[in-house]
């Protein structure tokens, strides 16, 4: 009752004004644009969280009770976090349209750079049919990417095929797409030279340049990286459905997704796969520039290095993640409390691992965590501290045992924000 009264009295101030302006109205107090709106919402939430962490802003109706004040603060922060999440989703929906335009600009800028490079290198040796074919192939690839950007302008433009189901850039798809574009460009260069060739001997040489003996290394790498892109998607999907991997959706893709995990931490498997693939692509591009009349003859030594890197990446995908687990449940005890069994109204401390999935450290995701005690679902309260939250954490949760829990032996189970359930842990609740 105290919490409800405090919510009614406190909602007429700043919280009410925030609610009034959360729907995208056009008055002067509202942010202009999705990005600015999200930035302001995040700043307001952080300020409010730190104020609650310092003990400021508590209504008098709940200040006398530690449990009531904790519940009130948790619900206020959860509502504010949902407003921030809505702003973030609005920014994420507006972002792909601009990305498609930026992608098209970057593609045509690369074509201009290629033209300048060809013009500078042609000063001494003159303009050749290979240069014309290379420029024509670049125009064809750029036109195809521009058309893809327009057709998929609401999904990220030309980057739409490399964006995963979790709205992050996929490392395996990005590497495979880079190799596909490069091999397609190399074949178009050969096709352009074949169209410009004047004699039958020259045409025969160009056709023989497509022979498997010369491009076996590049073709092998292309086949492997494309197969890995399909395999990784299947592996991740099956592990998510089997509750062996926790996935939460991102607001929008970021370039850092290629080198990091869902939590934004750099991962060795992803970094080495991107770096080695990029080095091999640079080598193959140089070989194509030096010998434009055949597929790049990627040496088998370098091809094997790429294959080892790809195998390491796949092994990393199999090894990451895991199902959350409860290791123990104890009665939470503050300084000065007497030792006692667990009773209704007491706080219990759930110890384990994997309670907070990667990428779910935001308050709106933390507020979705639930602890099932018997037949009662208890939402995990948010306990703010300066710079973050002390509850919940990845290895410890603290929740109260509600009065609706019947005394006796009951099971405790955690449901994470990704929807994954932990094992059941039995505890005894006394009168």
């Amino acid at each position: 009752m105290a919490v409800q009264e405090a919510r009614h009295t406190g909602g007429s101030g700043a919280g009410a004004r925030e609610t009034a302006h959360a729907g995208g109205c056009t008055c002067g107090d509202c942010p202009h644009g999705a990005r600015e709106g999200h930035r302001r919402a995040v700043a307001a939430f952080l300020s409010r969280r730190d104020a609650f962490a310092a003990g400021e802003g508590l209504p008098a109706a709940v200040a006398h009770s530690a449990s009531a004040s904790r519940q009130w603060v948790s619900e206020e922060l959860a509502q504010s976090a949902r407003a921030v999440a809505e702003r973030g989703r609005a920014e994420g929906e507006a972002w792909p349209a601009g990305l498609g335009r930026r992608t098209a600009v970057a593609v045509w800028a690369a074509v201009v750079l290629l033209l300048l490079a060809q013009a500078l290198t042609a000063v001494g040796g003159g303009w050749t049919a290979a240069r014309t074919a290379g420029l024509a192939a670049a125009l064809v690839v750029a036109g195809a990417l521009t058309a893809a950007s327009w057709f998929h302008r609401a999904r990220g433009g030309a980057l739409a095929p490399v964006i995963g189901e979790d709205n992050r850039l996929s490392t395996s798809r990005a590497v495979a797409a880079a190799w596909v574009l490069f091999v397609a460009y190399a074949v178009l260069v050969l096709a352009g030279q074949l169209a410009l060739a004047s004699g039958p001997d020259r045409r025969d040489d160009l056709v023989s340049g497509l022979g498997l003996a010369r491009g076996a290394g590049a073709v092998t790498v292309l086949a492997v990286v494309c197969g890995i892109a399909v395999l990784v998607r299947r592996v991740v999907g099956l592990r998510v459905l089997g509750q062996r991997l926790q996935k939460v959706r991102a607001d929008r893709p970021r370039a850092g997704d290629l080198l990091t995990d869902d939590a934004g931490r750099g991962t060795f498997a992803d970094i080495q796969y991107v770096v080695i693939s990029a080095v091999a692509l640079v080598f193959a591009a140089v070989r194509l520039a030096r010998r434009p009349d055949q597929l790049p003859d990627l040496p088998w030594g370098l091809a094997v290095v790429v294959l080892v890197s790809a195998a390491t990446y796949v092994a990393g995908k199999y090894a990451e993640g895991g199902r959350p687990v409860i290791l123990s449940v104890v009665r939470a005890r503050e300084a000065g409390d007497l030792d006692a069994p667990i009773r209704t109204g007491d706080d219990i401390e759930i110890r384990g691992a994997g309670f907070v999935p990667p990428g779910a450290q935001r308050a709106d995701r933390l507020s979705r965590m639930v602890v099932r005690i018997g037949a009662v679902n208890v939402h995990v309260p948010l306990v703010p501290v300066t710079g973050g939250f002390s509850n919940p954490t990845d290895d410890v949760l603290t929740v109260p045992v509600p009065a609706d829990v019947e005394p006796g032996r009951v099971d405790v189970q955690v449901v994470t924000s990704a929807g994954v359930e932990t094992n059941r842990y039995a505890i005894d609740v006394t009168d």
Side-chain angles (χ1 to χ4, degrees):
M1 293 296 294
V3 174
Q4 294 177 359
E5 179 182 352
R7 288 181 57 81
H8 286 300
T9 56
S12 60
R17 289 193 296 272
E18 290 178 4
T19 303
H21 297 294
C25 61
T26 58
C27 67
D29 295 335
C30 285
H32 301 283
R35 178 178 297 181
E36 180 65 15
H38 184 230
R39 187 191 66 79
R40 293 191 183 187
V42 170
F45 172 80
L46 295 178
S47 176
R48 199 172 193 189
R49 182 200 63 192
D50 292 342
F52 285 149
E56 302 172 0
L58 290 177
V62 298
H64 66 281
S65 172
S67 60
S69 61
R70 182 179 63 183
Q71 181 183 352
W72 186 86
V73 167
S74 178
E75 292 183 2
E76 289 295 310
L77 288 177
Q79 286 192 356
S80 181
R82 282 192 287 270
V84 173
E86 290 176 1
R87 291 289 190 179
R89 283 190 290 270
E91 180 189 4
E93 292 173 358
W95 180 81
L99 177 63
R101 291 190 295 270
R102 291 191 295 270
T103 303
V105 170
V107 167
W108 287 105
V111 173
V112 172
L113 290 177
L114 176 63
L115 175 60
L116 293 176
Q118 287 187 343
L120 291 175
T121 55
V123 173
W127 193 268
T128 61
R131 300 179 190 276
T132 302
L135 184 59
L139 292 175
V140 171
V141 173
L145 292 177
T146 303
S149 296
W150 188 85
F151 283 110
H152 298 280
R153 56 189 179 277
R155 186 76 175 91
L159 294 181
V162 301
I163 297 177
E165 287 72 16
D166 58 352
N167 207 28
R168 295 180 176 87
L169 288 179
S170 170
T171 302
S172 59
R173 297 185 195 180
V175 171
W179 277 101
V180 167
L181 288 176
F182 174 75
V183 173
Y185 174 77
V187 173
L188 287 175
V189 170
L190 287 172
Q193 294 182 84
L194 185 62
L196 298 175
S198 57
D201 293 338
R202 176 59 177 167
R203 288 194 291 269
D204 291 341
D205 291 339
L206 291 171
V207 172
S208 64
L210 289 172
L212 187 60
R214 296 183 177 181
V219 173
T220 301
V221 170
L222 175 66
V224 170
V225 297
C226 290
I228 285 177
V230 177
L231 175 63
V232 167
R233 179 181 181 182
R234 180 64 174 172
V235 167
V236 172
L238 290 177
R239 297 195 69 197
V240 170
L241 293 177
Q243 296 192 359
R244 296 188 301 275
L245 179 66
Q246 301 188 74
K247 277 283 190 181
V248 294
R249 183 177 176 83
D251 288 335
R252 65 177 180 87
R254 290 175 171 82
D257 296 338
L258 298 177
L259 305 175
T260 62
D261 59 9
D262 293 352
R265 299 183 297 262
T267 57
F268 171 76
D270 292 58
I271 292 174
Q272 60 87 30
Y273 188 42
V274 171
V275 170
I276 291 179
S277 298
V279 170
L281 272 173
V282 170
F283 183 90
V286 173
R287 293 293 295 173
L288 178 64
R290 302 296 295 179
R291 296 292 303 272
D293 56 346
Q294 65 179 42
L295 285 177
D297 51 341
L298 199 66
W300 276 110
L302 183 57
V304 170
V305 170
V306 176
L307 299 184
V308 171
S309 174
T312 303
Y313 175 75
V314 173
K317 285 299 178 182
Y318 272 103
E320 71 178 3
R323 188 168 183 172
V325 59
I326 297 177
L327 300 178
S328 62
V329 178
V330 299
R331 176 177 176 270
R333 178 181 178 274
E334 297 182 358
D337 285 351
L338 297 177
D339 295 329
I342 298 175
R343 297 186 176 91
T344 56
D346 290 343
D347 288 342
I348 57 174
E349 188 177 279
I350 305 172
R351 302 170 183 173
F355 296 147
V356 180
Q361 291 81 7
R362 298 184 333 196
D364 62 301
R365 302 277 171 77
L366 295 177
S367 64
R368 297 174 58 189
M369 297 181 63
V370 173
V371 175
R372 188 177 297 127
I373 306 177
V376 181
N377 291 327
V378 182
H379 285 271
V380 179
L382 300 177
V383 180
V385 294
T386 303
F389 297 93
S390 62
N391 187 66
T393 62
D394 189 61
D395 54 357
V396 177
L397 305 178
T398 301
V399 295
V401 179
D404 294 332
V405 175
E406 296 291 337
R409 195 165 185 83
V410 296
D411 290 332
V412 176
Q413 191 176 29
V414 176
V415 182
T416 70
S417 58
V420 179
E421 299 178 343
T422 67
N423 57 306
R424 299 177 183 271
Y425 192 94
I427 63 173
D428 293 315
V429 179
T430 62
D431 293 331

